[in-house]
Amino acid sequence: MPEKKKIVFFGDSVTEGCFEILRVNGQLELLKDQSSSYGEILAEKLRRNYPELMFEFINSGNSGDGTKEALARVDKDVLEHHPDIVIFCFELNDISYRDAVGYGERVRRLFDKLKESGCTVIVMSSNMVNKYISPDTLEEYRNMAEDCADCQNSGVLDAYTETLRELSSAYGFFFADAYAEWKRLDGYGIDTTALLCNHLNHPSRRMHRLFADVLFDCIEKNKLILR
């Protein structure tokens, strides 16, 4: 029997595969398309590059979750699967608290559990959120858009990412810095808000490929599949 690798994606709505927020018959609906998520794209890349291996991929992303909710479900949704690799991505639903210290404390508790399990951990930083209020932002989400823009422009998300980077290093976890790639695009003058399909916090399908590429590069550089 070929060797089997079990990979769990542990995160929020981006990990789950949430995209546009649409108004349908007067009601708001969140479009979920897991087949277009970075986890599915990465899974396909790994299957193609390691045809001799068997993989099991588990998407434990959950819309609306931050680190508080992650603590409540890490045992059931991650550790009970006994994964070989966990890909961890939680920032976006924590930034509105504007408390990088509290965020760091919760991340430490999560990292303690992951470290104790003995699995390989890849920590991925998030995408940028909106820098301005798009004209087509739904009225129901205008306050959220204003809050996200403030978190992005005032450096709150930068501080959270730096906290995540420092803790990943302290725990000996691998760090896949997707946020740095978004910032690089921003530095080139690219409108990163236009790369968010809801102009708030959900990357477009094309940008999910960036996440998958960053993760695949991290996996290949550190030879994580063949460990």
Side-chain angles (χ1 to χ4, degrees), residues 12 89-92 124-129 157 161 164 176-180 182 211:
D12 52 29
C89 187
F90 285 97
E91 284 188 82
L92 298 183
M124 184 169 70
S125 55
S126 74
N127 52 277
M128 291 175 63
V129 294
L157 185 50
T161 302
L164 195 63
D177 200 355
Y179 188 69
W182 280 75
F211 283 130

Side-chain angles (χ1 to χ4, degrees), residues 48-176:
R48 186 168 61 248
N49 282 271
Y50 296 94
E52 73 280 10
L53 300 181
M54 290 182 62
F55 289 97
E56 180 180 355
F57 299 98
I58 299 169
N59 189 321
S60 288
N62 194 41
S63 178
D65 277 8
T67 50
K68 292 180 180 179
E69 294 79 11
L71 281 165
R73 66 184 183 90
V74 62
D75 291 328
K76 178 178 181 295
D77 289 353
V78 180
L79 301 181
E80 287 186 9
H81 294 295
H82 303 289
D84 298 292
I85 297 174
V86 172
I87 295 172
F88 176 101
C89 187
F90 285 97
E91 284 188 82
L92 298 183
N93 291 315
D94 285 273
I95 58 175
S96 62
Y97 296 109
R98 292 168 173 77
D99 179 15
V101 173
Y103 169 73
E105 291 172 352
R106 293 188 296 276
V107 169
R108 283 189 188 92
R109 290 168 62 191
L110 287 160
F111 281 8
D112 284 342
K113 284 180 169 287
L114 295 174
K115 187 80 170 181
E116 185 179 358
S117 76
C119 64
T120 297
V121 179
I122 303 172
V123 178
M124 184 169 70
S125 55
S126 74
N127 52 277
M128 291 175 63
V129 294
N130 58 294
K131 296 179 68 178
Y132 60 86
I133 314 303
S134 175
D136 61 359
T137 298
L138 295 170
E139 185 61 32
E140 293 89 339
Y141 285 91
R142 188 170 182 84
N143 288 341
M144 180 179 175
E146 291 173 351
D147 186 61
C148 285
D150 180 70
C151 287
Q152 185 64 68
N153 297 328
S154 67
V156 171
L157 185 50
D158 291 46
Y160 273 61
T161 302
E162 187 57 32
T163 296
L164 195 63
R165 185 195 323 275
E166 290 174 356
L167 287 173
S168 299
S169 177
Y171 277 78
F173 293 165
F174 299 96
F175 192 67

Side-chain angles (χ1 to χ4, degrees), residues 181-197:
E181 294 302 307
W182 280 75
K183 294 287 281 189
R184 181 175 61 82
L185 294 174
D186 181 54
Y188 291 157
I190 293 172
D191 182 355
T192 53
T193 300
L195 301 177
L196 302 164
C197 63

